């Protein structure tokens, strides 16, 4: 693994955390449009990671960072503060974001660079 690829994965992880925090705030503030925007953001990040790195790990890294961040944000503090309410929108954000992340991370790999449309050996 090259340093550039490792740096790309780190950057994707950091952006995954930022998308999780922004989505947690937006999905409740502008319901239902904010929920759709938050789910589109995680989908675009994971799909963009796959396309940018040409590997499935490009989708797994931001999806994993997103899931860990969102689960961390759901924990209530001793003062009783928490970021998510108990509404249907919060559950749709949590489950929908996990579904979108897994879907993008397990999609078929992109084709090999330089391959033609013909079959091998022909």
């Amino acid at each position: 693994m090259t340093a550039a690829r490792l740096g790309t994965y780190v950057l994707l992880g950091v952006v995954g955390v930022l998308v999780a925090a922004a989505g947690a705030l937006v999905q409740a503030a502008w319901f239902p449009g904010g929920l759709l925007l938050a789910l589109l953001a995680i989908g675009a990040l994971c799909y963009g990671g796959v396309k940018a790195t040409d590997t499935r790990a490009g989708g797994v890294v931001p999806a994993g960072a997103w899931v860990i961040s969102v689960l961390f944000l759901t924990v209530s503090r001793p003062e009783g503060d928490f970021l998510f309410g108990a509404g249907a929108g919060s559950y749709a954000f949590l489950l929908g974001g996990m579904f979108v992340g897994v879907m993008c991370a397990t999609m078929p790999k992109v084709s090999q660079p330089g391959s033609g449309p013909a079959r091998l050996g022909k």
Side-chain angles (χ1 to χ4, degrees), residues 73-77 79-86:
L73 292 172
T74 60
V75 176
S76 63
R77 297 182 14 203
E79 296 88 14
D81 299 334
F82 56 94
L83 197 55
F84 290 101

Side-chain angles (χ1 to χ4, degrees), residues 4-79:
R5 185 167 295 242
L6 183 64
T8 303
Y9 290 146
V10 169
L11 180 65
L12 285 170
V14 169
V15 175
V17 170
L18 294 175
V19 167
L25 298 172
V26 168
Q27 62 89 20
W30 298 330
F31 189 79
L35 175 63
L36 181 61
L37 182 66
L39 293 177
L40 284 174
I42 185 61
L45 177 62
C46 292
Y47 184 72
V50 169
K51 286 295 196 180
T53 61
D54 285 335
T55 63
R56 287 186 181 145
V60 172
V61 169
W66 184 90
V67 168
I68 291 170
S69 300
V70 167
L71 291 178
F72 179 72
L73 292 172
T74 60
V75 176
S76 63
R77 297 182 14 203
E79 296 88 14

Side-chain angles (χ1 to χ4, degrees), residues 54 109-116:
D54 285 335
K109 286 177 61 174
V110 294
S111 63
Q112 295 295 322
S115 64

